[in-house]
Every structure is written in structure tokens, then in C-alpha cells.
Amino acid sequence: MIVGLILALVAGSLVGLQNIFNSKVNEHTGSWASTTLVLGMGFLASLMVGLIVEGGNLFNLQNMQPWYWFSGLIGVGVVTCILNGIKLLGPTYAISILLSSQLCFALLWDSLGWFGLEQVPFTPQKLLGVLIIASGIIVFKFGDRTVEAGEQF
Amino acid sequence: MRGIIFAFLGGAFITLQGVANARISQDIGTWQTATITQFTGFVMALLIFLFVRDGSLQMFKKVKPYYLVGGAFAAIIIFSNISAIHRIGVTLTISAVLIAQLGLTFFVDIKGWFGVAKQQMKLPQFIGIGMMVAGVIVLGL
């Protein structure tokens, strides 16, 4: 369990870092130019590490199902929804909904065990945990905070 | 209302992506999954870009070079995310990912690194982080 948690924490920290870097790129270019660059870099990096780890096996796709090719398109839906959500609601409100929605769907997925992933039974305790995290997100995002350190006494 | 629907669907898509990746990796392997999903996403984004053309090489030259390779983190992100989902399930993985993400942003905001506007954190932000960690402990027990 500890290894799983550490892996998830590493992923989350890099997502945070990547968001900052990507927004820096987006300051100078349009959103589709940025998205294309970001996914292109992700592809190159995965290809290189994949070749180092797997060698020629990287191209051995025996159990490949046709729909696997299209799963990457979900990423385009992610980008469009987040960009439009932030544009219409502002970052605080949009990100709070986005994060809470992720958590609720995660709980739904674990409970239903869709896609042949191992089912993790639903318990009221799990719902309580998700609700506490979602409340924490709202307190974090909507709590008053001062912009610019120069304003402090 | 439209904004709420967009944000809500965005969250659904992010979770769906993690779950789909975890499922696909069972059949073809983790690195194969990362490479293929980034490839199809890249091709799709490139096609849309060729229609809208909202950027040029000149614009990219204005960006500090190391910001341009931020996308490369995706290799480690996808690998870690898939491995974590297999080990601890979707809910706990997504929770830990969110906390680490908010925690890192929180730290960068305080320090004002990467030219981000420095923000002072107040009591609500510390209470919020505390609640999120407590929620993960409740989930993991």
C-alpha cells in the first residue's frame, strides 16, 4: 500500500509542476499549440523510456483492442472541458468542481469495478472520506488569501 | 450552468482516462499504454491545431526552454498513476494525486517559484490541506 501511495504522490507532484510549466507556455501561444506541444513531448518521453525499459517489446501489441487507440482522445476532452470551465467560472470555482467530480467518479468506478478492474466494495466510510477531502478542497480554494507578499505587515 | 457542466465533465474525463489506462495496461503493458495514448492524443491535437493555427515557432521562442519540456513529465505521471491504481484502487490513487498536486502548487505559490505571483497562505489553506489528508486517512483505514 505504501508503494502505491508513493507512486500516486509522485504523479500528483509532477501534475502540479506540469500545470505550471504548461501555463507558462500558454502565456505566449494559443491553447491548441500548447496542447499539441505538451502531448508531443509526452509521447516522445514515453517512447524513449519505453524503449529503454521494454526494448523491441514496446511494439509488441498482441492483445491490442481497437478501442485502445482511441483512449488517447479522452485527453482532448479533458483539455477542452477544463479550458472552457475555467473561462466560464474562473479558476477557483472551476477547479473545486473539477477535483470534487474526479473524486466522486473514482469512488463510483471502484465500487462498480467497470472495465474489469478489481472491484473495491463501497462502504459509508469511503463516502465519508471523499466528502471530507471535497470539503477540504472547497475550504482551501475559497478561503481568503492575500495576493502579493508585499501587502503583508 | 454551462461552466459547471464543463468542469464536472472534465473531472469525469480525468478519472476515466486513469481507469482506461489502467485497464489497457493489463493487456499491452504500462509503457505501451503511455506511448499509444500520448501518440493518439498528440495526433488529434495536431490536427485541430492545423485548423486553428493559434501558435507559431516565433511564439514558442519567447518561452523559457525548460518550460517547453513540461509535457515530458507525462511519461512518469502515466506510469506512476497506472501502477498506483493497480496497487491501491482508483479512489485512493486519485485522492493522493490531488493532495500532492495541491500541496506542490501551495508550496510554489508561497515561494513564488517559476515567476508565479507570490501568495500568502492563511489559516483556511492549512485547514483545507489538513482536511484532505484526514480524508485520505479515512479512505485508507
Side-chain angles (χ1 to χ4, degrees), chain A residues 43-115:
Chain A
F43 166 61
L44 282 178
S46 306
L47 183 71
M48 284 192 298
V49 181
L51 278 174
I52 294 168
V53 176
E54 301 272 338
N57 265 338
L58 188 66
F59 304 107
N60 180 9
L61 304 172
Q62 275 182 346
N63 298 313
M64 188 78 187
Q65 307 275 334
W67 72 269
Y68 294 175
W69 288 108
F70 297 99
S71 66
L73 304 184
I74 302 169
V76 181
V78 171
V79 174
T80 317
C81 285
I82 296 178
L83 285 178
N84 281 295
I86 290 179
K87 203 158 65 184
L88 290 165
L89 300 173
T92 304
Y93 195 13
I95 303 256
S96 303
I97 296 175
L98 182 85
L99 300 184
S100 309
S101 156
Q102 274 184 61
L103 279 171
C104 294
F105 277 99
L107 188 61
L108 190 69
W109 237 288
D110 265 344
S111 312
L112 297 173
W114 282 345
F115 279 170

Coordinates of all heavy atoms in Angstrom, one line a residue, chain A residues 43-115:
Chain A
F43 N 4.6 12.1 -25.6 CA 4.7 11.0 -26.5 C 6.2 10.6 -26.6 O 6.6 9.5 -26.5 CB 4.1 11.3 -27.8 CG 4.5 10.3 -28.9 CD1 4.2 8.9 -28.8 CD2 5.2 10.7 -30.0 CE1 4.6 8.0 -29.8 CE2 5.6 9.9 -31.0 CZ 5.3 8.5 -30.9
L44 N 7.0 11.6 -26.9 CA 8.5 11.4 -27.1 C 9.1 10.8 -25.9 O 9.9 9.8 -25.9 CB 9.2 12.7 -27.5 CG 9.1 13.2 -28.9 CD1 9.8 14.5 -29.1 CD2 9.6 12.1 -29.9
A45 N 8.8 11.3 -24.7 CA 9.3 10.9 -23.4 C 8.9 9.4 -23.2 O 9.7 8.6 -22.8 CB 8.9 11.8 -22.3
S46 N 7.6 9.1 -23.4 CA 7.1 7.8 -23.1 C 7.8 6.8 -24.1 O 8.1 5.7 -23.7 CB 5.6 7.7 -23.3 OG 4.9 8.6 -22.6
L47 N 7.9 7.2 -25.3 CA 8.6 6.4 -26.4 C 10.0 6.0 -25.9 O 10.4 4.9 -26.0 CB 8.5 7.1 -27.7 CG 9.1 6.3 -28.9 CD1 8.1 5.1 -29.3 CD2 9.3 7.2 -30.1
M48 N 10.7 7.1 -25.5 CA 12.2 6.9 -25.2 C 12.3 6.0 -23.9 O 13.1 5.0 -23.9 CB 12.9 8.2 -25.0 CG 13.2 8.9 -26.3 SD 14.3 10.3 -26.2 CE 13.4 11.4 -25.1
V49 N 11.6 6.3 -22.9 CA 11.7 5.5 -21.6 C 11.2 4.1 -21.9 O 11.8 3.1 -21.5 CB 10.9 6.1 -20.5 CG1 11.0 5.3 -19.2 CG2 11.4 7.5 -20.2
G50 N 10.1 4.0 -22.7 CA 9.5 2.7 -23.1 C 10.5 1.8 -23.8 O 10.7 0.6 -23.6
L51 N 11.3 2.4 -24.7 CA 12.3 1.7 -25.5 C 13.4 1.2 -24.6 O 13.9 0.1 -24.7 CB 12.9 2.6 -26.6 CG 12.0 2.6 -27.9 CD1 12.6 3.6 -28.9 CD2 11.9 1.2 -28.5
I52 N 13.8 2.1 -23.6 CA 14.9 1.7 -22.7 C 14.4 0.5 -21.8 O 15.2 -0.5 -21.6 CB 15.3 2.9 -21.8 CG1 15.9 4.0 -22.6 CG2 16.2 2.5 -20.7 CD1 16.1 5.3 -21.9
V53 N 13.2 0.6 -21.3 CA 12.7 -0.4 -20.4 C 12.3 -1.7 -21.1 O 12.6 -2.8 -20.7 CB 11.5 0.1 -19.6 CG1 10.9 -0.9 -18.7 CG2 11.9 1.3 -18.7
E54 N 11.6 -1.6 -22.2 CA 11.0 -2.7 -22.9 C 11.7 -3.2 -24.1 O 11.5 -4.3 -24.6 CB 9.5 -2.4 -23.3 CG 8.6 -2.0 -22.1 CD 8.0 -3.2 -21.5 OE1 7.9 -4.2 -22.1 OE2 7.6 -3.1 -20.3
G55 N 12.6 -2.3 -24.7 CA 13.3 -2.6 -25.9 C 12.2 -2.8 -27.0 O 11.2 -2.1 -27.1
G56 N 12.5 -3.8 -27.9 CA 11.6 -4.0 -29.1 C 10.2 -4.4 -28.7 O 9.2 -4.3 -29.4
N57 N 10.0 -4.9 -27.4 CA 8.7 -5.4 -26.9 C 7.7 -4.2 -26.9 O 6.5 -4.5 -26.8 CB 8.9 -5.9 -25.5 CG 9.0 -7.4 -25.5 OD1 8.6 -8.1 -26.4 ND2 9.6 -7.9 -24.4
L58 N 8.2 -3.0 -26.9 CA 7.3 -1.8 -26.9 C 6.3 -1.9 -28.0 O 5.2 -1.4 -27.9 CB 8.2 -0.5 -26.9 CG 7.4 0.8 -26.7 CD1 6.8 0.8 -25.3 CD2 8.2 2.0 -26.9
F59 N 6.8 -2.5 -29.2 CA 5.9 -2.5 -30.3 C 5.2 -3.8 -30.5 O 4.5 -4.1 -31.5 CB 6.7 -2.2 -31.6 CG 7.5 -0.9 -31.5 CD1 8.9 -0.9 -31.3 CD2 6.8 0.3 -31.5 CE1 9.5 0.3 -31.2 CE2 7.5 1.5 -31.4 CZ 8.8 1.5 -31.2
N60 N 5.3 -4.7 -29.4 CA 4.6 -6.0 -29.4 C 3.2 -5.8 -28.8 O 3.1 -5.8 -27.6 CB 5.4 -7.0 -28.6 CG 4.8 -8.3 -28.6 OD1 3.8 -8.6 -29.3 ND2 5.3 -9.2 -27.7
L61 N 2.2 -5.6 -29.7 CA 0.9 -5.2 -29.2 C -0.1 -6.3 -29.5 O -1.1 -6.1 -30.1 CB 0.4 -3.9 -29.8 CG 1.4 -2.7 -29.7 CD1 0.9 -1.5 -30.5 CD2 1.5 -2.3 -28.2
Q62 N 0.2 -7.5 -29.0 CA -0.6 -8.7 -29.3 C -2.1 -8.6 -28.9 O -3.0 -9.0 -29.6 CB 0.0 -9.9 -28.7 CG 1.1 -10.5 -29.7 CD 1.7 -11.8 -29.1 OE1 1.5 -12.1 -27.9 NE2 2.4 -12.5 -29.9
N63 N -2.3 -8.2 -27.6 CA -3.6 -8.1 -27.1 C -4.3 -6.8 -27.3 O -5.3 -6.5 -26.6 CB -3.6 -8.4 -25.6 CG -3.0 -9.8 -25.3 OD1 -3.4 -10.8 -25.9 ND2 -2.0 -9.9 -24.4
M64 N -3.8 -6.1 -28.3 CA -4.4 -4.8 -28.6 C -5.8 -4.9 -29.0 O -6.1 -5.6 -29.9 CB -3.5 -4.1 -29.6 CG -3.8 -2.7 -30.0 SD -3.1 -1.6 -28.7 CE -3.8 -0.1 -29.2
Q65 N -6.7 -4.1 -28.4 CA -8.1 -4.0 -28.9 C -8.2 -2.7 -29.7 O -7.6 -1.7 -29.3 CB -9.1 -3.9 -27.7 CG -8.9 -5.0 -26.7 CD -9.7 -6.3 -27.1 OE1 -10.7 -6.2 -27.8 NE2 -9.2 -7.4 -26.7
P66 N -9.1 -2.6 -30.7 CA -9.2 -1.4 -31.5 C -9.5 -0.2 -30.7 O -8.9 0.9 -30.9 CB -10.4 -1.7 -32.4 CG -10.4 -3.2 -32.5 CD -10.0 -3.7 -31.2
W67 N -10.3 -0.3 -29.6 CA -10.7 1.0 -28.9 C -9.5 1.6 -28.1 O -9.5 2.7 -27.7 CB -11.9 0.8 -28.0 CG -11.7 -0.1 -26.7 CD1 -11.9 -1.4 -26.6 CD2 -11.3 0.4 -25.4 NE1 -11.6 -1.8 -25.3 CE2 -11.2 -0.8 -24.6 CE3 -11.0 1.6 -24.9 CZ2 -10.9 -0.7 -23.2 CZ3 -10.6 1.7 -23.5 CH2 -10.6 0.6 -22.7
Y68 N -8.5 0.8 -27.9 CA -7.3 1.3 -27.1 C -6.7 2.5 -27.9 O -6.2 3.4 -27.2 CB -6.2 0.2 -26.9 CG -6.7 -1.0 -26.0 CD1 -5.8 -2.0 -25.9 CD2 -7.9 -0.9 -25.4 CE1 -6.2 -3.1 -25.1 CE2 -8.2 -2.0 -24.6 CZ -7.4 -3.1 -24.4 OH -7.7 -4.1 -23.6
W69 N -6.8 2.4 -29.2 CA -6.2 3.5 -30.0 C -6.9 4.8 -29.7 O -6.3 5.9 -29.8 CB -6.3 3.2 -31.5 CG -5.3 2.2 -32.0 CD1 -5.7 0.9 -32.3 CD2 -3.9 2.3 -32.1 NE1 -4.6 0.2 -32.7 CE2 -3.5 1.0 -32.5 CE3 -3.0 3.3 -31.8 CZ2 -2.1 0.7 -32.8 CZ3 -1.6 3.0 -32.1 CH2 -1.2 1.8 -32.5
F70 N -8.2 4.7 -29.4 CA -8.9 6.0 -29.2 C -8.9 6.5 -27.8 O -9.4 7.6 -27.6 CB -10.4 5.7 -29.7 CG -10.5 5.4 -31.1 CD1 -10.6 4.1 -31.5 CD2 -10.4 6.4 -32.1 CE1 -10.7 3.7 -32.9 CE2 -10.4 6.1 -33.4 CZ -10.6 4.7 -33.8
S71 N -8.4 5.8 -26.9 CA -8.4 6.2 -25.5 C -7.6 7.5 -25.3 O -8.0 8.3 -24.4 CB -7.9 5.1 -24.5 OG -6.5 5.0 -24.8
G72 N -6.6 7.7 -26.1 CA -5.9 9.0 -26.0 C -6.7 10.2 -26.3 O -6.4 11.3 -25.9
L73 N -7.8 10.0 -27.0 CA -8.7 11.1 -27.3 C -9.4 11.7 -26.1 O -9.9 12.8 -26.1 CB -9.7 10.7 -28.4 CG -9.1 10.2 -29.7 CD1 -10.2 9.9 -30.7 CD2 -8.1 11.1 -30.3
I74 N -9.5 10.9 -25.0 CA -10.1 11.3 -23.8 C -9.4 12.6 -23.3 O -10.0 13.5 -22.8 CB -10.1 10.3 -22.7 CG1 -10.8 9.0 -23.2 CG2 -10.7 10.8 -21.4 CD1 -10.5 7.8 -22.2
G75 N -8.1 12.6 -23.6 CA -7.2 13.7 -23.2 C -7.6 15.0 -23.8 O -7.6 16.1 -23.2
V76 N -8.1 14.9 -25.1 CA -8.6 16.2 -25.7 C -9.8 16.7 -25.1 O -10.0 17.9 -24.9 CB -8.8 15.9 -27.2 CG1 -9.3 17.1 -28.0 CG2 -7.5 15.3 -27.9
G77 N -10.7 15.7 -24.6 CA -11.9 16.1 -23.9 C -11.5 16.8 -22.6 O -12.2 17.8 -22.2
V78 N -10.5 16.2 -21.9 CA -10.1 16.8 -20.6 C -9.7 18.3 -20.8 O -10.2 19.2 -20.1 CB -8.8 16.0 -20.1 CG1 -8.2 16.7 -18.9 CG2 -9.2 14.6 -19.7
V79 N -8.8 18.5 -21.8 CA -8.3 19.9 -22.1 C -9.4 20.8 -22.4 O -9.5 21.9 -21.8 CB -7.3 19.9 -23.2 CG1 -6.8 21.3 -23.5 CG2 -6.1 19.0 -22.8
T80 N -10.3 20.4 -23.3 CA -11.4 21.3 -23.7 C -12.3 21.7 -22.5 O -12.7 22.8 -22.3 CB -12.3 20.6 -24.8 OG1 -11.4 20.0 -25.7 CG2 -13.2 21.6 -25.5
C81 N -12.7 20.7 -21.7 CA -13.6 20.9 -20.6 C -13.0 21.8 -19.6 O -13.6 22.7 -19.1 CB -14.0 19.6 -20.0 SG -15.2 18.7 -20.9
I82 N -11.7 21.6 -19.3 CA -11.0 22.4 -18.2 C -10.9 23.9 -18.7 O -11.2 24.8 -18.0 CB -9.6 21.8 -17.9 CG1 -9.8 20.4 -17.2 CG2 -8.9 22.8 -16.9 CD1 -8.5 19.8 -16.9
L83 N -10.4 24.0 -20.0 CA -10.3 25.4 -20.5 C -11.6 26.2 -20.5 O -11.6 27.3 -20.0 CB -9.7 25.3 -22.0 CG -8.3 25.0 -22.1 CD1 -7.9 24.9 -23.6 CD2 -7.4 26.0 -21.4
N84 N -12.7 25.5 -21.0 CA -14.0 26.2 -21.0 C -14.5 26.4 -19.6 O -15.1 27.4 -19.3 CB -15.0 25.4 -21.9 CG -14.7 25.6 -23.3 OD1 -14.9 26.7 -23.8 ND2 -14.3 24.6 -24.0
G85 N -14.4 25.4 -18.7 CA -14.8 25.5 -17.4 C -14.2 26.7 -16.7 O -14.9 27.6 -16.0
I86 N -12.9 26.9 -16.8 CA -12.1 28.0 -16.2 C -12.5 29.3 -16.8 O -12.7 30.3 -16.1 CB -10.6 27.8 -16.3 CG1 -10.2 26.6 -15.4 CG2 -9.8 29.0 -15.9 CD1 -8.7 26.2 -15.4
K87 N -12.7 29.3 -18.1 CA -13.1 30.5 -18.8 C -14.5 31.0 -18.3 O -14.7 32.2 -18.2 CB -13.2 30.3 -20.3 CG -13.0 31.5 -21.2 CD -12.5 31.2 -22.6 CE -13.5 30.4 -23.4 NZ -13.0 30.0 -24.7
L88 N -15.4 30.1 -18.1 CA -16.8 30.5 -17.8 C -17.0 30.7 -16.3 O -17.8 31.5 -15.9 CB -17.8 29.4 -18.2 CG -18.0 29.3 -19.7 CD1 -18.7 27.9 -20.1 CD2 -18.8 30.4 -20.3
L89 N -16.2 30.0 -15.4 CA -16.4 30.1 -14.0 C -15.3 30.8 -13.2 O -15.4 31.2 -12.1 CB -16.6 28.7 -13.4 CG -17.7 27.8 -13.9 CD1 -17.6 26.5 -13.3 CD2 -19.1 28.5 -13.5
G90 N -14.1 30.9 -13.8 CA -12.9 31.4 -13.1 C -12.2 30.2 -12.5 O -12.9 29.2 -12.2
P91 N -10.9 30.3 -12.2 CA -10.2 29.1 -11.8 C -10.6 28.5 -10.4 O -10.8 27.3 -10.3 CB -8.7 29.6 -11.7 CG -8.7 31.0 -11.9 CD -10.1 31.4 -12.4
T92 N -10.9 29.3 -9.4 CA -11.2 28.8 -8.1 C -12.4 27.9 -8.1 O -12.4 26.7 -7.7 CB -11.5 29.9 -7.1 OG1 -10.3 30.8 -7.1 CG2 -11.7 29.4 -5.7
Y93 N -13.5 28.4 -8.7 CA -14.8 27.7 -8.7 C -14.6 26.4 -9.6 O -15.0 25.3 -9.2 CB -15.8 28.7 -9.3 CG -17.3 28.3 -9.1 CD1 -17.6 27.3 -8.2 CD2 -18.3 29.0 -9.8 CE1 -19.0 26.9 -8.1 CE2 -19.6 28.6 -9.6 CZ -19.9 27.6 -8.8 OH -21.3 27.3 -8.6
A94 N -14.0 26.6 -10.8 CA -13.9 25.5 -11.8 C -13.1 24.4 -11.2 O -13.5 23.2 -11.3 CB -13.4 26.0 -13.1
I95 N -11.9 24.7 -10.7 CA -11.0 23.6 -10.2 C -11.6 22.9 -9.0 O -11.5 21.7 -8.8 CB -9.6 24.2 -9.8 CG1 -9.0 25.0 -11.0 CG2 -8.7 23.2 -9.2 CD1 -8.0 24.3 -11.8
S96 N -12.4 23.6 -8.1 CA -13.0 23.0 -7.0 C -14.0 21.9 -7.5 O -14.1 20.8 -7.0 CB -13.8 24.0 -6.1 OG -12.9 24.9 -5.6
I97 N -14.8 22.3 -8.5 CA -15.8 21.3 -9.1 C -15.1 20.2 -9.8 O -15.4 19.0 -9.6 CB -16.7 22.0 -10.1 CG1 -17.6 23.1 -9.4 CG2 -17.6 21.0 -10.8 CD1 -18.4 23.9 -10.3
L98 N -14.0 20.5 -10.5 CA -13.2 19.5 -11.3 C -12.7 18.5 -10.3 O -12.8 17.3 -10.6 CB -12.1 20.2 -12.0 CG -11.2 19.4 -12.9 CD1 -11.8 19.2 -14.2 CD2 -9.8 20.0 -13.0
L99 N -12.0 18.9 -9.2 CA -11.4 18.0 -8.3 C -12.4 17.1 -7.6 O -12.3 15.9 -7.4 CB -10.5 18.7 -7.3 CG -9.4 19.5 -7.9 CD1 -8.5 20.1 -6.7 CD2 -8.5 18.7 -8.8
S100 N -13.5 17.8 -7.2 CA -14.6 17.0 -6.4 C -15.2 16.0 -7.4 O -15.5 14.8 -7.0 CB -15.7 18.0 -5.9 OG -15.1 19.0 -5.2
S101 N -15.4 16.4 -8.6 CA -16.0 15.5 -9.6 C -15.1 14.3 -9.9 O -15.6 13.1 -9.9 CB -16.3 16.3 -10.9 OG -16.3 15.4 -12.0
Q102 N -13.8 14.5 -9.9 CA -12.8 13.4 -10.1 C -13.0 12.4 -9.0 O -13.0 11.2 -9.2 CB -11.4 13.9 -10.0 CG -10.8 14.4 -11.3 CD -9.4 14.8 -11.1 OE1 -8.5 14.0 -10.7 NE2 -9.1 16.1 -11.3
L103 N -13.1 12.9 -7.7 CA -13.2 12.0 -6.6 C -14.4 11.2 -6.6 O -14.4 10.0 -6.3 CB -13.2 12.8 -5.3 CG -11.8 13.3 -4.8 CD1 -12.0 14.3 -3.7 CD2 -11.0 12.1 -4.3
C104 N -15.6 11.8 -6.9 CA -16.9 11.1 -7.0 C -16.8 10.0 -8.0 O -17.3 8.9 -7.8 CB -18.0 12.1 -7.2 SG -18.2 13.2 -5.9
F105 N -16.3 10.3 -9.2 CA -16.2 9.3 -10.3 C -15.3 8.2 -9.9 O -15.5 7.0 -10.2 CB -15.9 9.9 -11.6 CG -17.0 10.5 -12.3 CD1 -17.3 11.9 -12.2 CD2 -17.9 9.7 -13.0 CE1 -18.4 12.4 -12.8 CE2 -19.0 10.3 -13.6 CZ -19.3 11.6 -13.5
A106 N -14.2 8.5 -9.2 CA -13.3 7.5 -8.7 C -14.0 6.5 -7.8 O -13.8 5.3 -8.0 CB -12.1 8.1 -8.0
L107 N -14.8 7.0 -6.9 CA -15.5 6.2 -5.9 C -16.5 5.3 -6.7 O -16.6 4.1 -6.4 CB -16.2 7.1 -4.9 CG -16.9 6.4 -3.7 CD1 -15.8 5.6 -2.9 CD2 -17.6 7.3 -2.8
L108 N -17.2 5.9 -7.7 CA -18.1 5.2 -8.5 C -17.5 4.0 -9.2 O -17.9 2.9 -9.2 CB -18.7 6.2 -9.5 CG -19.9 5.7 -10.3 CD1 -21.2 5.5 -9.4 CD2 -20.3 6.6 -11.4
W109 N -16.3 4.3 -9.8 CA -15.5 3.3 -10.5 C -15.1 2.1 -9.7 O -15.2 1.0 -10.1 CB -14.4 3.9 -11.3 CG -14.5 3.7 -12.7 CD1 -14.3 2.5 -13.3 CD2 -14.9 4.6 -13.7 NE1 -14.6 2.6 -14.7 CE2 -15.0 3.9 -14.9 CE3 -15.3 6.0 -13.7 CZ2 -15.4 4.5 -16.1 CZ3 -15.6 6.6 -14.8 CH2 -15.7 5.8 -16.0
D110 N -14.5 2.5 -8.5 CA -14.0 1.4 -7.6 C -15.2 0.6 -7.2 O -15.1 -0.7 -7.2 CB -13.4 2.1 -6.3 CG -11.9 2.2 -6.4 OD1 -11.3 1.5 -7.3 OD2 -11.3 3.0 -5.6
S111 N -16.3 1.2 -6.9 CA -17.5 0.5 -6.4 C -18.1 -0.5 -7.5 O -18.6 -1.5 -7.2 CB -18.6 1.4 -5.9 OG -18.0 2.4 -5.1
L112 N -18.1 0.0 -8.7 CA -18.7 -0.8 -9.8 C -17.8 -1.8 -10.4 O -18.2 -2.7 -11.0 CB -19.3 0.1 -10.8 CG -20.5 1.1 -10.3 CD1 -20.9 2.1 -11.4 CD2 -21.7 0.2 -9.9
G113 N -16.4 -1.5 -10.3 CA -15.4 -2.3 -10.9 C -15.6 -2.4 -12.4 O -15.3 -3.5 -13.0
W114 N -16.0 -1.3 -13.1 CA -16.1 -1.3 -14.5 C -14.8 -1.6 -15.2 O -13.7 -1.4 -14.6 CB -16.7 0.0 -15.0 CG -18.1 0.1 -14.8 CD1 -19.0 -0.9 -14.6 CD2 -18.9 1.3 -14.9 NE1 -20.3 -0.4 -14.4 CE2 -20.3 1.0 -14.6 CE3 -18.6 2.7 -15.1 CZ2 -21.3 1.9 -14.6 CZ3 -19.6 3.6 -15.0 CH2 -20.9 3.2 -14.8
F115 N -14.8 -2.0 -16.5 CA -13.6 -2.2 -17.3 C -12.7 -3.3 -16.8 O -11.6 -3.4 -17.1 CB -12.7 -0.9 -17.3 CG -13.1 0.2 -18.2 CD1 -12.6 1.4 -18.1 CD2 -14.1 -0.1 -19.2 CE1 -12.9 2.4 -19.0 CE2 -14.5 0.9 -20.0 CZ -13.9 2.2 -20.0

